Amino acid sequence: MWNTHLQLTTQWGILNYAMSVKVIVGTQWGDEGKGKITDILAEKMDYVVRYQGGNNAGHTVVVGESTFKLHLIPSGILYQSVVSVIGNGVVIDPGVLLNEIDTLAQQGIHIDANRLKISSIAHVILPVHRSMDSQQESRRREEKIGTTGRGIGPCYTDKVSRVGVRVMDLLCNDRLASRLKKHPHMVDEDIDQVLADYADFGKRLAPFVVDTSLLINQAISSGKRIIMEGAQGTMLDVDHGTYPFVTSSNPISGAACIGAGIGPHKIDQVIGVTKAYSTRVGEGPFPTEEFGDVSEYLRTKGCEFGTTTSRPRRCGWLDLVVLRYAVRINGITEICLTKLDVLDDLKTIKVCTGYDTPNGRIEEFPLDLDVFSEAKPIYDELPGWESDISQCTNFDDLPLNAKSYVKYISNVLGVHISLVSVGSNRKQTIHLLQH
Ligand code: GDP
Ligand code: IMO
Ligand code: MG
C-alpha cells in the first residue's frame, strides 16, 4: 500500500514506521510525465529533491489554465508548503536557474530562501561547457547523440576530472577566480567576463545555498515526507542505458543516494513513471519506433515535442522488454502510467513482449548495443477502446479495453499500477491506490 506509514503488529504491540522517502524515476527515454506525477504526489510531501541532471530536463506541470515548464527547479515548487531542494548531483547553469525563478515569479510563484535550497557542492555549468557540447556534437558526424546542447556532458566530465566549479565557489570571488584560472578549457580572454557574471549569479543565489544532505537527513529523521525527483529516464542512464546514446548522469533510483547524500536504507519506495507508449528525443536505437501514420498520430495527439528543445520526439509502441529492465535496475515498487488518453482513437494497440535478434528470441534487454540496434520487436496486439477517457476519474469509469491494457502491463511486469494519468491537467488523474 502507498501509505506514508507502515503499521506492524508485533509481540511488543503496534509499531509505526515512517514511509517517508519515495524516488520517482522515468522508466523509458525521459518525458514520461515525471513532472506531472511529482506535482500530484507533492501535495502531501514536505520536500521534493532533484538528484541529478540539469537543464537538459524539461518537466511540464499543468494546473487549471496555467502551464509551468520546469528545468532545474523541482516539480513540487507549486505548493507553498513544499521545500524544493536541488541536490549535489545536479549540474546547475546559474543563469538558467535565475531565469526560471524570475519566470515563475511572473506566473505568480514566488520563491524565497525558505522554499528553495541549493547544494553548495553541486557543480556549475560554465559558458565553455555549452560551447564544448555543440563542438563535440558537430565533430561526431555519423554518431551524433543529439544532446540538448546545454553543456551537461562537459560539466559532468569536468566534475569527474576534478577541475569543476561548484556552487560554493560562486560565493567567494578569490576562490572563483582561482578555479577559473586553473580550468583547463577556459580561454584567458574570457575569464574576466565569466568571473564578473558568475560572481553576480553567486550574489543572487547565496541565500539559497546550504548543505542539502544535512537538511534532507534531518528532515528524514524528523519524519518528513520526501520525494526524490529523477530527471531523464532509465534508458538514458550513463551506465545502464543505451550507451553512448545516453545523458552524462545516472537517472536511476540508486543515484538518488549519491545525488542527495542519503543512505540507501532511507529509501522506502521507488515509483516508476511509464508512458503508455514510447518516445525518444535525440539519436540512438529504439526498436519499437514507428514511422508512418501511428507515429504521426502519437506525436500529434500526445503533443510529443521536447519541452527543452522543441524537437519532435520519435514515437512508437510500448516496450515491455525495456520496462522489465527498468523495474529490475531501479527496484521499482509501483508504476504510475501516464498518457493513456493518447491511445484513445486507436483500433488496435501493439505491445512489444520480446525481440527477435541475430542470436535468437530474447525477452531481457541486451546490453550489447549492436544486438539492441538490430532487435526486431515481437508484438502482442490488444484491442483499443476508441473512446474519450480524458474525463475519467475512477478506474471503473474506464472502458473495458482500457482497463485490460492497464492490467496487462501490470501483470507482465509483476508491479502494481498505482495511478493512471489521462490528461496533462492535475485533475485528469485516476488514483488506484490511496496516496
Ligand atoms: P517529464 O520530462 O517526464 O516531466 O515529461 P514532460 O513534461 O517533458 O512531457 C510530458 C508531456 O505530457 C507534458 O507536456 C505533460 O503536460 C503531458 N502529460 C503528462 N501526463 C499526461 C497525460 O496523462 N495525458 C496527456 N495527454 N498528456 C500528459
Ligand atoms: P526529461 O527530464 C528526454 C536526451 C537528449 C540526448 C541525450 C543526451 O525532460 O525527461 P544531454 O543534453 O543530456 O547530454 O543529451 O539525452 N535527453 C533527454 N531526452 N527527456 C529528457 O529529460 C532528456 N534529457 C536529455 O535528447 O538524446
Ligand atoms: Mg521532459
Side-chain angles (χ1 to χ4, degrees):
M1 272 297 272
W2 195 345
N3 286 330
T4 47
H5 282 83
L6 175 71
Q7 218 177 46
L8 285 185
T9 309
T10 70
Q11 54 179 318
W12 301 285
I14 291 173
L15 295 180
N16 278 302
Y17 287 101
M19 297 276 286
S20 55
V21 181
K22 306 172 198 300
V23 182
I24 292 188
V25 286
T27 58
Q28 294 150 312
W29 281 276
D31 302 325
E32 296 91 348
K34 300 174 294 294
K36 172 179 169 167
I37 301 302
T38 303
D39 170 74
I40 296 277
L41 301 188
E43 189 184 2
K44 294 189 181 159
M45 294 293 134
D46 301 301
Y47 290 77
V48 176
V49 183
R50 270 281 303 271
Y51 58 85
Q52 47 70 233
N55 59 310
N56 46 352
H59 301 168
T60 308
V61 180
V62 183
V63 185
E65 300 300 304
S66 309
T67 298
F68 301 91
K69 294 197 180 291
L70 304 167
H71 298 283
L72 276 163
I73 296 183
S75 308
I77 197 72
L78 304 184
Y79 300 97
Q80 279 297 329
S81 57
V82 170
V83 178
S84 294
V85 181
I86 301 180
N88 58 276
V90 175
V91 287
I92 301 175
D93 189 323
V96 171
L97 177 57
L98 288 165
N99 270 338
E100 203 169 318
I101 293 173
D102 293 342
T103 307
L104 283 168
Q106 283 159 16
Q107 291 188 280
I109 309 295
H110 298 280
I111 300 174
D112 61 25
N114 293 320
R115 299 229 292 130
L116 177 67
K117 309 286 180 186
I118 302 170
S119 168
S120 58
I121 56 169
H123 278 249
V124 170
I125 296 180
L126 300 170
V128 68
H129 293 140
R130 289 192 295 267
S131 46
M132 285 168 73
D133 196 354
S134 52
Q135 281 162 19
Q136 286 169 0
E137 270 294 84
S138 44
R139 264 187 257 122
R140 278 186 197 112
R141 295 169 197 264
E142 254 103 79
E143 235 197 23
K144 285 196 193 309
I145 292 169
T147 72
T148 58
R150 301 303 191 257
I152 306 295
C155 184
Y156 275 116
T157 306
D158 278 354
K159 171 179 172 171
V160 178
S161 305
R162 296 160 292 185
V163 294
V165 172
R166 300 188 296 175
V167 168
M168 62 164 67
D169 301 327
L170 305 185
L171 310 186
C172 167
N173 271 12
D174 289 347
R175 198 159 58 192
L176 180 58
S178 142
R179 298 301 298 168
L180 292 177
K181 279 181 198 139
K182 281 187 211 143
H183 195 278
H185 307 297
M186 286 290 298
V187 184
D188 283 349
E189 304 82 82
D190 292 344
I191 288 181
D192 286 348
Q193 189 61 54
V194 174
L195 182 58
D197 291 346
Y198 276 61
D200 270 357
F201 294 149
K203 278 192 200 119
R204 270 198 74 189
L205 291 177
F208 302 101
V209 179
V210 297
D211 176 345
T212 50
S213 164
L214 183 62
L215 178 83
I216 296 163
N217 280 280
Q218 285 170 341
I220 294 172
S221 300
S222 55
K224 300 286 187 206
R225 294 154 303 178
I226 299 167
I227 286 178
M228 304 280 168
E229 180 190 17
Q232 289 83 49
T234 304
M235 300 310 281
L236 291 173
D237 187 278
V238 66
D239 283 85
H240 298 282
T242 52
Y243 191 90
F245 302 99
V246 291
T247 190
S248 297
S249 68
N250 294 105
I252 63 165
S253 61
C257 295
I258 299 166
I262 62 165
H265 62 294
K266 299 279 166 67
I267 294 172
D268 302 299
Q269 286 161 306
V270 180
I271 299 162
V273 182
T274 299
K275 197 178 314 205
Y277 50 96
S278 304
T279 62
R280 176 165 205 168
V281 202
E283 304 304 316
F286 177 9
T288 63
E289 182 170 16
E290 284 285 315
F291 296 95
D293 294 348
V294 173
S295 156
E296 201 47 46
Y297 166 82
L298 293 171
R299 188 172 306 113
T300 309
K301 176 105 177 160
C303 301
E304 295 296 354
F305 296 89
T307 310
T308 300
T309 56
S310 305
R311 287 178 291 178
R313 295 176 183 150
R314 299 157 64 193
C315 297
W317 300 112
L318 192 72
D319 188 335
L320 290 171
V321 179
V322 162
L323 294 184
R324 207 178 285 120
Y325 180 65
V327 167
R328 164 158 58 92
I329 293 289
N330 291 290
I332 286 171
T333 56
E334 319 249 351
I335 285 180
C336 294
L337 186 68
T338 61
K339 303 192 93 160
L340 190 63
D341 57 297
V342 174
L343 306 180
D344 274 357
D345 304 331
L346 297 170
K347 205 172 163 48
T348 50
I349 300 167
K350 289 192 193 174
V351 181
C352 170
T353 56
Y355 304 138
D356 271 327
T357 73
N359 309 337
R361 187 188 169 130
I362 54 172
E363 285 179 357
E364 294 297 336
F365 174 71
L367 295 182
D368 184 334
L369 196 75
D370 289 343
V371 176
F372 189 61
S373 304
E374 290 192 32
K376 301 275 174 292
I378 300 164
Y379 286 117
D380 253 6
E381 284 200 21
L382 305 179
W385 43 93
E386 296 181 271
S387 58
D388 180 358
I389 62 166
S390 65
Q391 302 310 315
C392 294
T393 49
N394 280 307
F395 191 66
D396 288 338
D397 297 343
L398 289 174
L400 188 66
N401 289 349
K403 282 195 272 201
S404 302
Y405 187 69
V406 175
K407 286 179 189 162
Y408 173 95
I409 297 167
S410 174
N411 286 341
V412 173
L413 298 177
V415 180
H416 288 299
I417 294 187
S418 54
L419 181 155
V420 176
S421 172
V422 293
S424 55
N425 213 292
R426 254 187 206 167
K427 284 188 197 150
Q428 294 171 294
T429 307
I430 299 173
H431 296 271
L432 280 83
L433 289 179
Q434 212 192 339
H435 297 154

